[in-house]
Amino acid sequence: NRYEWNEDKLSVWEQEGISKDSMRKYHVRYDPFSDRIVYPIRNIFGDIINVCGRTLDPDFKEKGLRKYTYFKPLGILDTIYGFSDNSEAILEQNEIILFEGAKSVMIADSWGVHNTGAILTSHLNPYQFNLLIQLGVHVVFALDAEVNIEEDANIMKLRPYVQLEWVRNRR
């Protein structure tokens, strides 16, 4: 609640295909202190464990700023972004589509696709691996084009436990 709903600043993401409804669902806000669009990172139970921010400064590289940053040290990434918001749709469809980043989850939500989550990096870690085995649903990885899913040991280890597929962006 300390961050504001600023339609002017949030319009950047709206122009990238994230609807206002999806931004509200995922509690996207603006932090004027850091000039970042911010959103909570929740554990699988829905508790906020961190806040992530995406800079709006177009000169962030030249200034040595990070494009995305967590506001507190994250420690162990033992969650899947969006799971607590989308668990009903995931279980109903018996499938989870996993992206790298939170924005992809929000864009999919804007398109009406709600059985999604994000691993918040380019590889599956052991904690997320265990979550997916426990979940037991069909898993589809839709990671960025430069990621070779077949080289990710944890993703390949999933194969005996869940129905696993991936899509590859060829651009």
Side-chain angles (χ1 to χ4, degrees), residues 78-94:
D78 61 351
T79 193
I80 292 174
Y81 176 83
F83 179 79
S84 63
D85 298 296
N86 296 331
S87 60
E88 190 175 306
I90 292 165
L91 294 173
E92 189 175 283
Q93 295 182 35
N94 197 40

Side-chain angles (χ1 to χ4, degrees), residues 94-147:
N94 197 40
E95 176 181 80
I96 185 169
I97 302 167
L98 290 172
F99 301 106
E100 279 187 52
K103 279 179 59 181
S104 296
V105 171
M106 293 178 212
I107 290 170
D109 185 79
S110 299
W111 293 348
V113 179
H114 307 294
N115 60 319
T116 64
I119 58 176
L120 300 175
T121 186
S122 61
H123 61 279
L124 187 71
N125 71 37
Y127 303 99
Q128 295 165 328
F129 169 84
N130 286 330
L131 288 172
L132 292 171
I133 288 175
Q134 291 172 17
L135 190 56
V137 300
H138 177 226
V139 179
V140 178
F141 284 92
L143 306 182
D144 291 353
E146 67 275 2
V147 176

Side-chain angles (χ1 to χ4, degrees), residues 6-167:
N6 182 319
E7 290 199 18
D8 181 50
K9 296 293 186 173
L10 297 177
S11 69
V12 171
W13 277 13
E14 195 172 12
Q15 292 165 16
E16 292 181 30
I18 302 172
S19 70
K20 287 179 186 173
D21 286 341
S22 292
M23 283 191 263
R24 284 187 187 96
K25 174 180 175 179
Y26 294 101
H27 304 277
V28 175
R29 299 290 184 271
Y30 173 70
D31 177 17
F33 178 76
S34 66
D35 192 29
R36 290 180 180 275
I37 294 177
V38 296
Y39 50 92
I41 304 296
R42 298 178 185 275
N43 64 19
I44 60 169
F45 306 108
D47 303 317
I48 296 175
I49 59 172
N50 214 324
V51 174
C52 187
R54 164 57 161 97
T55 186
L56 292 177
D57 189 331
D59 301 319
F60 72 93
K61 286 183 184 177
E62 294 80 13
K63 294 178 180 177
L65 301 173
R66 298 175 82 178
K67 185 175 184 178
Y68 286 93
T69 191
Y70 293 103
F71 284 21
K72 296 183 180 184
L74 190 57
I76 296 170
L77 179 59
D78 61 351
T79 193
I80 292 174
Y81 176 83
F83 179 79
S84 63
D85 298 296
N86 296 331
S87 60
E88 190 175 306
I90 292 165
L91 294 173
E92 189 175 283
Q93 295 182 35
N94 197 40
E95 176 181 80
I96 185 169
I97 302 167
L98 290 172
F99 301 106
E100 279 187 52
K103 279 179 59 181
S104 296
V105 171
M106 293 178 212
I107 290 170
D109 185 79
S110 299
W111 293 348
V113 179
H114 307 294
N115 60 319
T116 64
I119 58 176
L120 300 175
T121 186
S122 61
H123 61 279
L124 187 71
N125 71 37
Y127 303 99
Q128 295 165 328
F129 169 84
N130 286 330
L131 288 172
L132 292 171
I133 288 175
Q134 291 172 17
L135 190 56
V137 300
H138 177 226
V139 179
V140 178
F141 284 92
L143 306 182
D144 291 353
E146 67 275 2
V147 176
N148 185 343
I149 290 174
E150 295 169 290
E151 292 178 1
D152 188 305
N154 285 320
I155 293 176
M156 291 298 103
K157 279 184 359 186
L158 265 179
R159 294 174 100 170
Y161 303 102
V162 299
Q163 184 181 357
L164 176 66
E165 294 183 65
W166 58 89
V167 295

